[in-house]
Amino acid sequence: MNRWLLWIPLVLFSLFFAIVAAGLMRPKDNIIESKMIGKPIPEFALPAAIEQRPALTTADLATGKPQLLNVFASWCVPCIAEAPQLLALEQAGVSINGIASRDTPEDIANFLNRWGNPYVRIGTDVRSSVQLELGSSGVPETFVIDGNGVIVHQHIGDIRKEDVPELLEILENAG
Amino acid sequence: MIAEAGLIALWLAASMAFLQFALCAIGLVKGQDEFFAAIRPVAIAQGLLVSLSFMLLVWLFVRSDMSVKLVVANSVAIKPLLYKITGTWGNHEGSMLLWVAIMGLAGACIGIFERNLKTKTLVTTLGAQAFISIGFYAYLLIASNPFERIFPVPADGQGLNPLLQDIGLALHPPTLYIGYVGLSIAFSFAVGAMITRDVGPEFAKAMRPWVLGAWVFLTLGITAGSYWAYYELGWGGWWFWDPVENASLMPWLAATALLHSVTVLATRDGLRAWTLMLAVVAFSMSMIGTFLVRSGVLTSVHAFAVDPERGSFILALLAIYIGGAMALFALRVGTVKEGSQFEPVSREGALVANNLLLSAILGIVFIGTLYPLVVEGFTDEMISVGAPYFNLATGPLALILVAIMAAGPLLRWRRDQVNALLNRISIPVFLTAAALFGLVIFTTSMSILSLLGLALAAGIAVASFAPLWKRNLRRTPMHVYGMVLAHFGVAVALVGMASETSFTEEKLVAAAPGDEIMVNNWKVTFQAIEPVAGPNWTALEARVTAQYEDQAIHEAAPQNRMFASAQMQTSEAALLTRWNGQLYVVLGDSDEQGRWQLRIWWKPFVTLIWYGGVLIALGGLLAMVGRLRRAVRQKQQRAYAEAVL
């Protein structure tokens, strides 16, 4: 056996160390500027994800009133953490549209039944093609869309309690 | 005063650990045996002192001593006694103290019982063990003192996370910790052996019971954790690939590989370097898992509090221990002589394949768990890698692994014939094919993985008993029975998993009292809804009756609980268990018309998943006891032979 092969475990561990050390150093609350801001929502028409809520198309997102567009999935753990905040936003009178990414109707229904259903409309994005068009590669992710269907803000990751007032303010300003 | 006594005991235990390490280091450098003689008593003293410290913390929780910060943060006076006790380790500081206490006790056990190893290797092992403990003591005493007082003393505590107020979760962490700590001993053995260059069958035989013991506890811990998540989260699933679950699965995968490679080393003196590496990796995975859960770098439903400062401390410990051990490996393993050789088609060959597949699965889970962190680091995006990735990536490898598991024990050591093997496994292969054929014809819409899983399970269930074929069952060693039982357990669990995935039936209804719902052969009647109160919660409870075909009527009472002290709602699912599956009822919210959401599942053979887990652990236990008894008997025979001569 080559002697230098024996160093591979240590090299791999160093790599792991570098990654998590960087993860620890990075502040968790950094604000991310998105390239999608200021652009209109791409054209799409997604079928309804569950029977109880209507389908979602681009036209539904340009109604003259600012709205939220939330990408989620039943298999996504941070989406569970986010659920109460979405319900709070709904309580505050925000209309929230959902895109269920790579999911099945049963799982979506289970998820919404367990953690609450704050959505007006939910489209199912089985191959996550619309999600990619939106420039989102992960779940959960939330877009603030103004009355003309233009993205004014992108929130990456789960919405925490402290993010709710900020989102409400952005929605207010978009109106 | 109890808190101060606990802290003093902890400091004394820490100084004992330091002494233990110093004795080993000086002894090794000077080569003097008198330093070695003192190391056993010191290890025992360390174990007793740290256990005392832990017991004092338990006492503080039982007394609900609200002058101690940790008790205030994690307990509440009206809580039931059992959860006051388990609250001791239902938090960060307490669980770290439990960890180091188990580690100290394990060190004491080595000091008392281990007689097989050469003195030098034993001492080095205890020295390495002390070195690991010192880091944990430092961590507790500097960064997270569990005995810290609070002033002014508050009237009552803040309570324990309601999700943790459950017997399953109360016993789950100690079980896993015993497993992790067992692996720390395997790690110390490996470090000791690398330093003294004493790697061989004797070393493997000394290490094996510890690996087996650790593996049994890890298996039980994971099984219990899976069942807990299944009934307590009210979500109806048994595995979510959550980072915290993965944190316990990764050491188990490494330990399973280690368990098999250490047997090759003990029996055939092969796989020396590989076994050492696995011992290092197995413990590394326990530490890394703990770190991922504790540091807040990963998001999870049941991760502990986010705290980068403590995360940095554990990360530094990781760097010293794992980095150090891997550097030692690179420097020393070259000088460990290669063991004996073997042909690819042999028992060793099958075990190598088992090891490679387990390592590959471990790699996949590891990458999947860390991937979100990497993506976040490079692109500022946050993503979650979900069940689709893990199932798709690990499923096929796991099935191949299971197939090899059926064939491996039927192979001879060193060299075997392919034809002979095919002959021996012809019946299981036929059964698998027949099951596959039957399933394809009589069932619809099974995923390919479940289909293959169920068919393979039929073959393995039979193949796992094949090692007993044509053997004198009374003279068959106990560890063979252990292996048979554990392998059979895998088949049982596999049936449960595949059946649950493919044949579960679900109904989601809005029901008013009096409504009847049919799920599979169950007739479920929603009788009434009533408020009920427990010691520290109130709940809405649905009275539900359920009847399987025309048999007796069962009652079930799913609840929605509100915990006052934590302002949290939990869902208590109601489970009705029959031999062929479980009915799972969850109460949801009500709508304006006074109807209530009920979610009802019929999960055929779901309980086999956990019965299988228990069988696997039981098999490990049998093997461990068998090995230990054999060691004792051989020693007696040797002593007798010497006395006669």
Side-chain angles (χ1 to χ4, degrees):
Chain A
M1 203 190 326
N2 266 325
R3 289 297 291 272
W4 60 266
L5 281 176
L6 297 174
W7 292 93
I8 288 177
L10 187 61
V11 171
L12 289 178
F13 174 72
S14 310
L15 195 67
F16 164 80
F17 183 86
I19 290 168
V20 291
L24 271 182
M25 300 300 165
R26 193 173 37 247
K28 280 281 169 188
D29 53 359
N30 49 357
I31 297 157
I32 301 153
E33 279 298 323
S34 164
K35 48 196 172 297
M36 286 303 291
I37 292 178
K39 294 186 183 164
I41 286 275
E43 284 294 324
F44 68 83
L46 288 174
I50 53 171
E51 284 175 12
Q52 293 87 347
R53 291 287 185 279
L56 183 68
T57 66
T58 309
D60 298 321
L61 295 167
T63 55
K65 192 177 145 247
Q67 304 185 57
L68 285 187
L69 177 61
N70 175 256
V71 186
F72 73 103
S74 70
W75 44 265
C76 142
V77 174
C79 296
I80 302 170
E82 180 180 72
Q85 272 60 256
L86 287 178
L87 289 173
L89 283 163
E90 187 205 13
Q91 288 281 309
V94 179
S95 101
I96 306 172
N97 300 278
I99 291 183
S101 173
R102 281 182 288 150
D103 226 328
T104 65
E106 299 82 43
D107 289 343
I108 298 167
N110 290 348
F111 179 86
L112 296 175
N113 187 39
R114 178 77 183 92
W115 307 105
N117 184 350
Y119 302 104
V120 218
R121 298 165 175 280
I122 309 172
T124 181
D125 191 11
V126 181
R127 300 226 169 84
S128 56
S129 50
V130 173
Q131 193 191 356
L132 287 176
E133 277 185 66
L134 285 167
S136 143
S137 63
V139 279
E141 206 161 298
T142 309
F143 298 89
V144 180
I145 295 154
D146 72 6
N148 304 320
V150 174
I151 298 175
V152 292
H153 179 78
Q154 182 184 24
H155 183 97
I156 296 172
D158 57 321
I159 299 172
R160 313 238 164 130
K161 213 169 199 162
E162 57 270 24
D163 301 326
V164 173
E166 190 198 342
L167 281 173
L168 285 174
E169 200 188 311
I170 295 169
L171 280 161
E172 178 85 11
N173 293 339
Chain B
M1 285 311 288
I2 304 168
E4 283 68 32
L7 191 59
I8 290 168
L10 193 60
W11 274 105
L12 286 176
S15 44
M16 283 296 146
F18 193 76
L19 183 61
Q20 189 176 327
F21 173 67
L23 282 171
C24 162
I26 298 170
L28 278 183
V29 172
K30 299 215 164 187
Q32 282 166 349
D33 288 356
E34 53 264 44
F35 289 100
F36 292 165
I39 215 163
R40 281 180 194 259
V42 171
I44 296 165
Q46 195 223 123
L48 291 178
L49 281 166
V50 68
S51 311
L52 174 69
S53 176
F54 179 72
M55 292 318 292
L56 289 172
L57 187 65
V58 174
W59 194 10
L60 288 172
F61 270 85
V62 169
R63 286 174 37 131
S64 296
D65 189 333
M66 294 303 169
S67 68
V68 176
K69 205 173 164 187
L70 191 65
V71 180
V72 176
N74 296 288
S75 196
V76 61
I78 56 164
K79 203 164 61 171
L81 177 66
L82 174 69
Y83 297 121
K84 283 187 184 172
I85 297 174
T86 61
T88 317
W89 54 80
N91 60 76
H92 175 82
E93 288 84 351
S95 61
M96 290 317 268
L97 183 57
L98 173 65
W99 171 299
V100 74
I102 299 174
M103 206 147 139
L105 275 178
C109 285
I110 300 182
I112 297 170
F113 298 113
E114 186 56 59
R115 293 282 182 263
N116 281 335
L117 280 183
K118 288 184 194 145
T119 313
K120 208 171 160 193
T121 311
L122 172 83
V123 168
T124 321
T125 302
L126 279 176
Q129 184 78 2
F131 186 65
I132 301 173
S133 300
I134 291 170
F136 281 90
Y137 285 123
Y139 177 65
L140 275 168
L141 292 168
I142 297 166
S144 47
N145 173 14
F147 297 103
E148 197 178 333
R149 296 273 192 185
I150 187 168
F151 191 83
V153 176
D156 202 353
Q158 292 157 0
L160 174 70
N161 181 345
L163 283 177
L164 304 184
Q165 294 200 27
D166 179 89
I167 186 68
L169 208 72
L171 301 176
H172 172 63
T175 317
L176 277 182
Y177 280 11
I178 295 173
Y180 288 163
V181 171
L183 291 180
S184 86
I185 301 198
F187 176 88
S188 301
F189 267 107
V191 169
M194 283 193 279
I195 289 175
T196 59
R197 294 191 177 88
D198 176 27
V199 186
E202 285 310 310
F203 154 79
K205 280 176 188 161
M207 180 161 100
R208 181 160 55 188
W210 290 97
V211 177
L212 269 167
W215 184 78
V216 166
F217 276 100
L218 282 180
T219 309
L220 281 178
I222 292 172
T223 307
S226 157
Y227 192 59
W228 171 80
Y230 168 77
Y231 75 75
E232 179 68 24
L233 293 181
W235 226 24
W238 46 273
W239 193 262
F240 298 106
W241 297 104
D242 179 274
V244 174
E245 292 175 331
N246 293 348
S248 65
L249 180 67
M250 291 190 289
W252 184 86
L253 288 167
T256 311
L258 175 61
L259 186 65
H260 291 93
S261 81
V262 85
T263 295
V264 177
L265 183 54
T267 320
R268 299 284 315 155
D269 197 15
L271 303 185
R272 286 178 172 178
W274 180 247
T275 304
L276 288 176
M277 189 71 241
L278 277 179
V280 171
V281 166
F283 178 60
S284 303
M285 286 301 157
S286 331
M287 287 271 308
I288 287 173
T290 312
F291 165 77
L292 291 178
V293 176
R294 299 312 170 91
S295 62
V297 291
L298 291 178
T299 323
S300 155
V301 266
H302 40 290
F304 283 72
V306 174
D307 190 342
E309 211 161 291
R310 287 170 174 176
S312 311
F313 205 115
I314 307 187
L315 190 60
L317 292 183
L318 278 179
I320 297 169
Y321 299 149
I322 304 176
M326 285 178 172
L328 187 66
F329 177 82
L331 289 170
R332 279 296 171 91
V333 152
T335 63
V336 171
K337 261 188 283 172
E338 279 286 326
S340 61
Q341 303 296 310
F342 52 83
E343 301 280 313
V345 180
S346 62
R347 178 82 72 90
E348 290 98 322
L351 287 170
V352 167
N354 143 309
N355 269 230
L356 291 176
L357 285 163
L358 280 167
S359 307
I361 295 172
L362 174 60
I364 289 169
V365 177
F366 189 71
I367 290 171
T369 310
L370 278 183
Y371 185 66
L373 198 63
V374 178
V375 172
E376 206 182 318
F378 286 109
T379 65
D380 278 346
E381 303 207 30
M382 276 174 79
I383 64 153
S384 165
V385 175
Y389 158 82
F390 286 107
N391 288 338
L392 196 67
T394 58
L397 290 182
L399 287 182
I400 300 173
L401 179 68
V402 165
I404 289 177
M405 188 191 86
L410 302 176
L411 283 162
R412 290 181 216 287
W413 290 108
R414 212 160 73 81
R415 186 194 298 166
D416 207 339
Q417 306 296 324
V418 180
N419 290 342
L421 172 70
L422 288 180
N423 207 6
R424 272 172 245 150
I425 60 166
S426 55
I427 296 174
V429 168
F430 172 76
L431 270 173
T432 304
L436 195 60
F437 185 69
L439 286 169
V440 169
I441 290 185
F442 293 111
T443 65
T444 48
S445 75
M446 271 188 93
S447 77
I448 185 84
L449 276 180
S450 319
L451 188 70
L452 289 174
L454 213 51
L456 257 180
I460 305 155
V462 174
S464 55
F465 286 98
L468 297 177
W469 183 250
K470 286 185 184 166
R471 261 185 111 131
N472 183 339
L473 291 182
R474 282 166 161 238
R475 308 201 65 182
T476 303
M478 208 160 157
H479 63 84
V480 175
Y481 282 109
M483 177 188 74
V484 165
L485 199 59
H487 285 186
F488 180 66
V490 173
V492 170
L494 198 56
V495 172
M497 291 171 192
S499 167
E500 195 275 342
T501 311
S502 302
F503 305 126
T504 293
E505 283 182 37
E506 181 184 16
K507 278 271 170 71
L508 171 63
V509 292
D515 283 1
E516 277 183 7
I517 305 121
M518 288 301 297
V519 181
N520 189 273
N521 292 329
W522 286 88
K523 186 170 80 184
V524 180
T525 315
F526 181 31
Q527 303 287 2
I529 193 141
E530 292 165 4
V532 288
N536 55 348
W537 47 263
T538 57
L540 281 171
E541 186 176 274
R543 291 282 152 82
V544 173
T545 54
Q547 189 177 22
Y548 190 83
E549 289 171 344
D550 286 330
Q551 297 170 2
I553 293 176
H554 301 271
E555 289 187 10
Q559 294 178 342
N560 261 341
R561 276 189 195 171
M562 281 300 304
F563 284 80
S565 54
Q567 290 289 312
M568 188 166 173
Q569 199 176 348
T570 69
S571 172
E572 302 287 314
L575 297 176
L576 289 177
T577 308
R578 268 177 59 84
W579 64 272
N580 60 346
Q582 253 178 352
L583 187 75
Y584 189 119
V585 186
V586 178
L587 175 66
D589 298 328
S590 68
D591 63 8
E592 295 85 26
Q593 288 98 46
R595 291 184 307 180
W596 293 81
Q597 279 187 345
L598 277 183
R599 254 166 86 208
I600 309 168
W601 279 289
W602 168 243
K603 292 174 172 291
F605 298 108
V606 66
T607 43
L608 291 185
I609 297 174
W610 305 290
Y611 287 138
V614 172
L615 280 179
I616 296 170
L618 211 59
L621 189 68
L622 268 187
M624 185 177 80
V625 173
R627 295 288 189 194
L628 287 174
R629 274 182 32 181
R630 198 175 226 209
V632 169
R633 209 166 43 233
Q634 280 172 351
K635 188 179 267 180
Q636 284 167 345
Q637 280 166 354
R638 236 176 290 144
Y640 177 75
E642 277 168 23
V644 172
L645 286 171

